[in-house]
Amino acid sequence: MASSEEDGAVEEKENNNKKRTRSALATAWLTFYNIAMTAGWLVLAMAMIRFYFQKGTHKGLYRSIARTLKFFQTFALVELYHCTVCQLTSVIVTGVQVCSRIFMVWFITNSIRQIQSEESVILFLVVWTLTEITRYSYYTFSLLHHLPYFIKWARYNLFIVFYPLGVIGELMTIYAALPFVRRTGMYSMRLPNMYNVSFDYYYCLIIVMLSYIPLFPQLYFHMLRQRRRVLYGEVIVEKDD
């Protein structure tokens, strides 16, 4: 009996050590990831400021930062892994936010040069940049257990203005893209074709715009609930859909 109890104690100790090791590795990776993303969005912010002061206009700004923007925004797909494996936040909320931004970057702004100098593009770029610098800074300092209050305050207050502005910029950009998409038929498939499938990207974009109606309020009120919980200590019970 004593031997079996000792074996069980040793096995439990080994399991605890493995869990601590995995936890330490996960924390180290998340810290590195959030520092890298903070730095990346800071680089984007400095590039936008430098471009504007040098050129005196926003025209051409998107093209000058496109490669960096595409890299860091696409790399954010890693956060879906964080949600599913590390269970940090809701995978649905994160998935909607990340995928919608990647769609905006790759399938709207990057694909249609004619709209890259629209004011709406600059609007959502500025909002994204400020939001992400704040968000990743918040995560970084939280992981390091040295979170300045002003960063926590910024994380849970600036979104009140930034989220609606970002949505306005995104919707205006998609709307500006509609005439070009309809005229050129880009990404569309007409019958007859070898796949016997019809797809109209123009109407797809309209559906995307309409999807903001149910999705945006859910994301916005989710952040408001998080704000009450983090800043004011309210206990929020999330209802299952």
Side-chain angles (χ1 to χ4, degrees):
M1 287 291 292
S3 178
S4 62
E5 289 177 359
E6 288 176 1
D7 291 342
V10 170
E11 185 177 349
E12 184 178 355
K13 186 176 180 180
E14 289 178 352
N15 289 335
N16 289 336
N17 288 336
K18 288 179 181 178
K19 287 180 181 179
R20 281 195 292 269
T21 301
R22 286 196 295 266
S23 178
L25 290 173
T27 301
W29 160 250
L30 289 172
T31 303
F32 167 77
Y33 172 80
N34 285 291
I35 290 174
M37 294 298 278
T38 303
W41 285 96
L42 280 169
V43 167
L44 278 166
M46 296 303 297
M48 286 191 284
I49 293 170
R50 184 172 62 250
F51 180 92
Y52 188 79
F53 278 109
Q54 288 178 350
K55 305 294 184 179
T57 178
H58 68 276
K59 294 182 178 179
L61 188 152
Y62 176 83
R63 205 175 309 169
S64 72
I65 65 166
R67 184 176 299 180
T68 307
L69 174 67
K70 286 185 289 186
F71 175 82
F72 283 101
Q73 188 56 71
T74 305
F75 195 56
L77 282 169
V78 174
E79 293 175 30
L80 298 181
Y81 172 81
H82 295 165
C83 293
T84 54
V85 176
C86 302
Q87 297 180 346
L88 297 177
T89 56
S90 169
V91 68
I92 297 176
V93 172
T94 302
V96 169
Q97 291 176 323
V98 171
C99 293
S100 65
R101 286 190 176 189
I102 289 175
F103 180 82
M104 283 298 304
V105 170
W106 283 100
F107 296 100
I108 303 292
T109 318
N110 190 69
S111 299
I112 308 174
R113 289 190 175 184
Q114 289 81 352
I115 66 168
Q116 290 176 1
S117 293
E118 292 284 335
E119 287 82 358
S120 58
V121 173
I122 307 305
L123 174 60
F124 77 70
L125 282 180
V126 170
V127 169
W128 286 9
T129 302
L130 294 174
T131 299
E132 296 301 61
I133 290 172
T134 304
R135 184 167 72 95
Y136 288 118
S137 297
Y138 173 83
Y139 292 148
T140 299
F141 284 108
S142 295
L143 288 164
L144 296 173
H145 304 293
H146 292 288
L147 178 62
Y149 181 77
F150 79 90
I151 291 181
K152 181 166 75 170
W153 182 92
R155 164 68 176 145
Y156 288 102
N157 280 288
L158 295 182
F159 82 89
I160 295 173
V161 175
F162 284 170
Y163 268 32
L165 286 178
V167 166
I168 290 170
E170 293 169 24
L171 288 174
M172 289 177 64
T173 300
I174 298 174
Y175 183 77
L178 288 177
F180 177 84
V181 171
R182 188 168 202 175
R183 185 171 65 253
T184 62
M186 67 177 293
Y187 297 151
S188 297
M189 295 181 66
R190 310 296 187 196
L191 291 172
N193 58 65
M194 61 182 296
Y195 302 105
N196 199 31
V197 173
S198 176
F199 174 74
D200 196 315
Y201 189 54
Y202 174 83
Y203 291 107
C204 175
L205 291 183
I206 292 176
I207 293 172
V208 168
M209 293 178 71
L210 291 174
S211 72
Y212 277 71
I213 297 173
L215 291 176
F216 171 70
Q218 293 187 47
L219 297 175
Y220 193 67
F221 287 117
H222 170 78
M223 281 300 297
L224 287 174
R225 289 191 293 270
Q226 292 295 101
R227 177 177 182 269
R228 298 203 308 271
R229 181 180 64 82
V230 173
L231 294 184
Y232 304 110
E234 293 187 23
V235 178
I236 306 298
V237 179
E238 296 280 1
K239 294 181 179 180
D240 295 331
D241 292 332

Tab-separated table of all heavy atoms in Angstrom, residues 160-196:
chain	number	residue	atom	x	y	z
A	160	ILE	N	-15.193	52.898	-26.941
A	160	ILE	CA	-16.544	53.470	-27.004
A	160	ILE	C	-16.680	54.378	-28.222
A	160	ILE	O	-17.728	54.421	-28.884
A	160	ILE	CB	-16.853	54.241	-25.708
A	160	ILE	CG1	-16.884	53.287	-24.510
A	160	ILE	CG2	-18.172	54.994	-25.816
A	160	ILE	CD1	-17.016	53.973	-23.174
A	161	VAL	N	-15.605	55.076	-28.548
A	161	VAL	CA	-15.580	55.944	-29.727
A	161	VAL	C	-14.964	55.227	-30.924
A	161	VAL	O	-15.462	55.331	-32.053
A	161	VAL	CB	-14.797	57.243	-29.432
A	161	VAL	CG1	-14.673	58.099	-30.690
A	161	VAL	CG2	-15.467	58.023	-28.310
A	162	PHE	N	-13.878	54.485	-30.682
A	162	PHE	CA	-13.136	53.872	-31.780
A	162	PHE	C	-13.932	52.804	-32.528
A	162	PHE	O	-13.851	52.725	-33.759
A	162	PHE	CB	-11.835	53.257	-31.256
A	162	PHE	CG	-10.767	54.264	-30.950
A	162	PHE	CD1	-9.613	53.894	-30.281
A	162	PHE	CD2	-10.900	55.590	-31.344
A	162	PHE	CE1	-8.616	54.822	-29.997
A	162	PHE	CE2	-9.922	56.528	-31.056
A	162	PHE	CZ	-8.768	56.141	-30.387
A	163	TYR	N	-14.686	51.972	-31.823
A	163	TYR	CA	-15.427	50.905	-32.498
A	163	TYR	C	-16.416	51.456	-33.534
A	163	TYR	O	-16.415	51.012	-34.681
A	163	TYR	CB	-16.143	50.026	-31.469
A	163	TYR	CG	-15.329	48.827	-31.013
A	163	TYR	CD1	-13.933	48.887	-30.950
A	163	TYR	CD2	-15.940	47.639	-30.646
A	163	TYR	CE1	-13.187	47.807	-30.530
A	163	TYR	CE2	-15.192	46.541	-30.211
A	163	TYR	CZ	-13.821	46.636	-30.157
A	163	TYR	OH	-13.084	45.552	-29.742
A	164	PRO	N	-17.272	52.417	-33.142
A	164	PRO	CA	-18.191	52.964	-34.161
A	164	PRO	C	-17.460	53.649	-35.315
A	164	PRO	O	-17.859	53.504	-36.474
A	164	PRO	CB	-19.027	53.975	-33.362
A	164	PRO	CG	-18.939	53.514	-31.949
A	164	PRO	CD	-17.573	52.945	-31.792
A	165	LEU	N	-16.373	54.377	-35.014
A	165	LEU	CA	-15.615	55.040	-36.078
A	165	LEU	C	-14.996	54.014	-37.021
A	165	LEU	O	-14.988	54.204	-38.241
A	165	LEU	CB	-14.522	55.924	-35.475
A	165	LEU	CG	-14.964	57.228	-34.817
A	165	LEU	CD1	-13.760	57.968	-34.226
A	165	LEU	CD2	-15.686	58.129	-35.824
A	166	GLY	N	-14.463	52.935	-36.454
A	166	GLY	CA	-13.886	51.889	-37.293
A	166	GLY	C	-14.915	51.249	-38.199
A	166	GLY	O	-14.656	51.004	-39.381
A	167	VAL	N	-16.096	50.994	-37.659
A	167	VAL	CA	-17.177	50.397	-38.449
A	167	VAL	C	-17.609	51.342	-39.569
A	167	VAL	O	-17.832	50.918	-40.708
A	167	VAL	CB	-18.372	50.041	-37.539
A	167	VAL	CG1	-19.617	49.745	-38.366
A	167	VAL	CG2	-18.020	48.846	-36.661
A	168	ILE	N	-17.702	52.624	-39.248
A	168	ILE	CA	-18.066	53.609	-40.274
A	168	ILE	C	-17.031	53.604	-41.395
A	168	ILE	O	-17.382	53.606	-42.584
A	168	ILE	CB	-18.186	55.018	-39.652
A	168	ILE	CG1	-19.416	55.088	-38.747
A	168	ILE	CG2	-18.273	56.086	-40.744
A	168	ILE	CD1	-19.485	56.361	-37.915
A	169	GLY	N	-15.762	53.590	-41.028
A	169	GLY	CA	-14.705	53.569	-42.036
A	169	GLY	C	-14.759	52.318	-42.895
A	169	GLY	O	-14.600	52.389	-44.129
A	170	GLU	N	-14.983	51.171	-42.275
A	170	GLU	CA	-15.050	49.917	-43.024
A	170	GLU	C	-16.249	49.899	-43.972
A	170	GLU	O	-16.127	49.514	-45.148
A	170	GLU	CB	-15.125	48.746	-42.046
A	170	GLU	CG	-13.856	48.550	-41.232
A	170	GLU	CD	-14.037	47.565	-40.091
A	170	GLU	OE1	-14.944	46.709	-40.194
A	170	GLU	OE2	-13.296	47.644	-39.101
A	171	LEU	N	-17.416	50.308	-43.484
A	171	LEU	CA	-18.617	50.301	-44.319
A	171	LEU	C	-18.501	51.279	-45.481
A	171	LEU	O	-18.913	50.967	-46.611
A	171	LEU	CB	-19.846	50.624	-43.468
A	171	LEU	CG	-20.304	49.532	-42.495
A	171	LEU	CD1	-21.443	50.035	-41.618
A	171	LEU	CD2	-20.748	48.277	-43.259
A	172	MET	N	-17.944	52.453	-45.215
A	172	MET	CA	-17.771	53.437	-46.292
A	172	MET	C	-16.790	52.937	-47.336
A	172	MET	O	-16.946	53.207	-48.538
A	172	MET	CB	-17.304	54.769	-45.699
A	172	MET	CG	-18.357	55.505	-44.896
A	172	MET	SD	-17.736	57.039	-44.153
A	172	MET	CE	-17.362	58.000	-45.632
A	173	THR	N	-15.772	52.197	-46.901
A	173	THR	CA	-14.792	51.646	-47.840
A	173	THR	C	-15.429	50.572	-48.714
A	173	THR	O	-15.220	50.538	-49.934
A	173	THR	CB	-13.591	51.067	-47.077
A	173	THR	OG1	-12.966	52.102	-46.305
A	173	THR	CG2	-12.570	50.477	-48.042
A	174	ILE	N	-16.208	49.683	-48.111
A	174	ILE	CA	-16.895	48.648	-48.898
A	174	ILE	C	-17.864	49.290	-49.886
A	174	ILE	O	-17.952	48.883	-51.053
A	174	ILE	CB	-17.635	47.661	-47.970
A	174	ILE	CG1	-16.651	46.934	-47.056
A	174	ILE	CG2	-18.429	46.648	-48.800
A	174	ILE	CD1	-17.316	46.048	-46.015
A	175	TYR	N	-18.578	50.313	-49.402
A	175	TYR	CA	-19.524	51.019	-50.280
A	175	TYR	C	-18.798	51.663	-51.465
A	175	TYR	O	-19.299	51.622	-52.598
A	175	TYR	CB	-20.270	52.081	-49.481
A	175	TYR	CG	-21.328	52.819	-50.270
A	175	TYR	CD1	-22.552	52.227	-50.529
A	175	TYR	CD2	-21.078	54.099	-50.757
A	175	TYR	CE1	-23.517	52.892	-51.267
A	175	TYR	CE2	-22.037	54.780	-51.492
A	175	TYR	CZ	-23.259	54.163	-51.742
A	175	TYR	OH	-24.213	54.839	-52.486
A	176	ALA	N	-17.634	52.232	-51.201
A	176	ALA	CA	-16.849	52.855	-52.279
A	176	ALA	C	-16.356	51.820	-53.280
A	176	ALA	O	-16.126	52.141	-54.455
A	176	ALA	CB	-15.663	53.617	-51.684
A	177	ALA	N	-16.206	50.576	-52.827
A	177	ALA	CA	-15.716	49.519	-53.712
A	177	ALA	C	-16.805	48.943	-54.612
A	177	ALA	O	-16.503	48.352	-55.652
A	177	ALA	CB	-15.105	48.389	-52.874
A	178	LEU	N	-18.058	49.115	-54.238
A	178	LEU	CA	-19.159	48.479	-54.962
A	178	LEU	C	-19.208	48.816	-56.456
A	178	LEU	O	-19.360	47.894	-57.284
A	178	LEU	CB	-20.493	48.818	-54.287
A	178	LEU	CG	-20.763	48.144	-52.944
A	178	LEU	CD1	-22.083	48.639	-52.351
A	178	LEU	CD2	-20.797	46.625	-53.090
A	179	PRO	N	-19.106	50.098	-56.853
A	179	PRO	CA	-19.176	50.392	-58.294
A	179	PRO	C	-18.081	49.696	-59.096
A	179	PRO	O	-18.341	49.186	-60.194
A	179	PRO	CB	-19.023	51.923	-58.342
A	179	PRO	CG	-19.463	52.394	-56.996
A	179	PRO	CD	-19.031	51.325	-56.045
A	180	PHE	N	-16.861	49.666	-58.564
A	180	PHE	CA	-15.757	49.013	-59.270
A	180	PHE	C	-16.006	47.509	-59.376
A	180	PHE	O	-15.796	46.911	-60.444
A	180	PHE	CB	-14.441	49.273	-58.535
A	180	PHE	CG	-13.259	48.578	-59.153
A	180	PHE	CD1	-12.584	49.151	-60.216
A	180	PHE	CD2	-12.839	47.335	-58.682
A	180	PHE	CE1	-11.500	48.498	-60.802
A	180	PHE	CE2	-11.765	46.679	-59.255
A	180	PHE	CZ	-11.091	47.271	-60.323
A	181	VAL	N	-16.461	46.906	-58.293
A	181	VAL	CA	-16.711	45.464	-58.297
A	181	VAL	C	-17.813	45.112	-59.295
A	181	VAL	O	-17.702	44.141	-60.047
A	181	VAL	CB	-17.097	44.981	-56.882
A	181	VAL	CG1	-17.562	43.532	-56.915
A	181	VAL	CG2	-15.921	45.133	-55.931
A	182	ARG	N	-18.851	45.927	-59.343
A	182	ARG	CA	-19.957	45.660	-60.271
A	182	ARG	C	-19.515	45.841	-61.718
A	182	ARG	O	-19.895	45.050	-62.597
A	182	ARG	CB	-21.123	46.587	-59.955
A	182	ARG	CG	-22.382	46.246	-60.740
A	182	ARG	CD	-23.578	46.979	-60.189
A	182	ARG	NE	-24.813	46.323	-60.537
A	182	ARG	CZ	-26.004	46.692	-60.104
A	182	ARG	NH1	-26.115	47.723	-59.271
A	182	ARG	NH2	-27.088	46.044	-60.453
A	183	ARG	N	-18.692	46.847	-61.954
A	183	ARG	CA	-18.251	47.142	-63.318
A	183	ARG	C	-17.292	46.088	-63.852
A	183	ARG	O	-17.358	45.702	-65.024
A	183	ARG	CB	-17.588	48.522	-63.352
A	183	ARG	CG	-17.198	48.992	-64.770
A	183	ARG	CD	-16.758	50.430	-64.784
A	183	ARG	NE	-15.514	50.638	-64.029
A	183	ARG	CZ	-15.446	51.232	-62.843
A	183	ARG	NH1	-16.553	51.674	-62.270
A	183	ARG	NH2	-14.290	51.390	-62.226
A	184	THR	N	-16.394	45.601	-63.015
A	184	THR	CA	-15.360	44.665	-63.462
A	184	THR	C	-15.735	43.200	-63.256
A	184	THR	O	-15.152	42.312	-63.895
A	184	THR	CB	-14.052	44.924	-62.701
A	184	THR	OG1	-14.258	44.706	-61.292
A	184	THR	CG2	-13.578	46.353	-62.932
A	185	GLY	N	-16.687	42.938	-62.349
A	185	GLY	CA	-17.047	41.551	-62.068
A	185	GLY	C	-15.959	40.790	-61.330
A	185	GLY	O	-15.900	39.556	-61.408
A	186	MET	N	-15.104	41.499	-60.590
A	186	MET	CA	-13.992	40.842	-59.900
A	186	MET	C	-14.501	39.816	-58.892
A	186	MET	O	-15.533	40.001	-58.242
A	186	MET	CB	-13.098	41.873	-59.199
A	186	MET	CG	-13.735	42.607	-58.037
A	186	MET	SD	-12.569	43.745	-57.215
A	186	MET	CE	-11.407	42.579	-56.512
A	187	TYR	N	-13.755	38.719	-58.812
A	187	TYR	CA	-14.040	37.603	-57.908
A	187	TYR	C	-15.397	36.955	-58.158
A	187	TYR	O	-15.856	36.151	-57.346
A	187	TYR	CB	-13.967	38.043	-56.445
A	187	TYR	CG	-12.614	38.517	-55.997
A	187	TYR	CD1	-12.493	39.458	-54.981
A	187	TYR	CD2	-11.445	38.031	-56.573
A	187	TYR	CE1	-11.249	39.900	-54.559
A	187	TYR	CE2	-10.200	38.475	-56.166
A	187	TYR	CZ	-10.100	39.405	-55.153
A	187	TYR	OH	-8.865	39.841	-54.742
A	188	SER	N	-16.042	37.289	-59.252
A	188	SER	CA	-17.362	36.724	-59.547
A	188	SER	C	-17.233	35.572	-60.542
A	188	SER	O	-16.276	35.509	-61.319
A	188	SER	CB	-18.294	37.794	-60.115
A	188	SER	OG	-18.506	38.823	-59.162
A	189	MET	N	-18.188	34.674	-60.507
A	189	MET	CA	-18.237	33.549	-61.446
A	189	MET	C	-19.599	33.548	-62.133
A	189	MET	O	-20.629	33.555	-61.463
A	189	MET	CB	-18.026	32.210	-60.712
A	189	MET	CG	-16.651	32.049	-60.101
A	189	MET	SD	-16.456	30.433	-59.280
A	189	MET	CE	-16.557	29.330	-60.686
A	190	ARG	N	-19.569	33.566	-63.458
A	190	ARG	CA	-20.807	33.575	-64.229
A	190	ARG	C	-21.040	32.208	-64.862
A	190	ARG	O	-20.097	31.498	-65.218
A	190	ARG	CB	-20.726	34.634	-65.347
A	190	ARG	CG	-20.277	36.012	-64.894
A	190	ARG	CD	-21.246	36.652	-63.936
A	190	ARG	NE	-20.874	38.036	-63.633
A	190	ARG	CZ	-21.343	38.726	-62.617
A	190	ARG	NH1	-22.226	38.161	-61.806
A	190	ARG	NH2	-20.958	39.967	-62.403
A	191	LEU	N	-22.283	31.850	-64.991
A	191	LEU	CA	-22.645	30.636	-65.708
A	191	LEU	C	-22.696	30.924	-67.203
A	191	LEU	O	-23.037	32.037	-67.619
A	191	LEU	CB	-24.004	30.133	-65.222
A	191	LEU	CG	-24.038	29.581	-63.793
A	191	LEU	CD1	-25.480	29.302	-63.376
A	191	LEU	CD2	-23.197	28.306	-63.676
A	192	PRO	N	-22.362	29.967	-68.038
A	192	PRO	CA	-21.891	28.615	-67.689
A	192	PRO	C	-20.391	28.605	-67.381
A	192	PRO	O	-19.630	29.419	-67.901
A	192	PRO	CB	-22.191	27.820	-68.967
A	192	PRO	CG	-22.049	28.833	-70.058
A	192	PRO	CD	-22.538	30.140	-69.490
A	193	ASN	N	-19.970	27.680	-66.531
A	193	ASN	CA	-18.548	27.451	-66.264
A	193	ASN	C	-18.354	25.986	-65.890
A	193	ASN	O	-19.313	25.255	-65.675
A	193	ASN	CB	-18.031	28.380	-65.156
A	193	ASN	CG	-18.791	28.212	-63.850
A	193	ASN	OD1	-18.747	27.168	-63.211
A	193	ASN	ND2	-19.532	29.270	-63.459
A	194	MET	N	-17.111	25.551	-65.819
A	194	MET	CA	-16.792	24.133	-65.600
A	194	MET	C	-17.258	23.627	-64.232
A	194	MET	O	-17.454	22.427	-64.055
A	194	MET	CB	-15.281	23.899	-65.744
A	194	MET	CG	-14.426	24.660	-64.751
A	194	MET	SD	-12.651	24.396	-65.014
A	194	MET	CE	-12.524	22.638	-64.660
A	195	TYR	N	-17.435	24.568	-63.290
A	195	TYR	CA	-17.878	24.149	-61.954
A	195	TYR	C	-19.393	24.204	-61.790
A	195	TYR	O	-19.934	23.740	-60.789
A	195	TYR	CB	-17.233	25.035	-60.898
A	195	TYR	CG	-15.732	25.030	-60.938
A	195	TYR	CD1	-15.032	26.124	-61.455
A	195	TYR	CD2	-14.998	23.933	-60.494
A	195	TYR	CE1	-13.640	26.124	-61.513
A	195	TYR	CE2	-13.615	23.929	-60.539
A	195	TYR	CZ	-12.934	25.028	-61.056
A	195	TYR	OH	-11.576	25.020	-61.105
A	196	ASN	N	-20.071	24.797	-62.783
A	196	ASN	CA	-21.527	24.953	-62.752
A	196	ASN	C	-21.985	25.678	-61.483
A	196	ASN	O	-22.968	25.309	-60.841
A	196	ASN	CB	-22.220	23.588	-62.850
A	196	ASN	CG	-23.669	23.718	-63.277
A	196	ASN	OD1	-24.020	24.646	-64.025
A	196	ASN	ND2	-24.520	22.828	-62.800
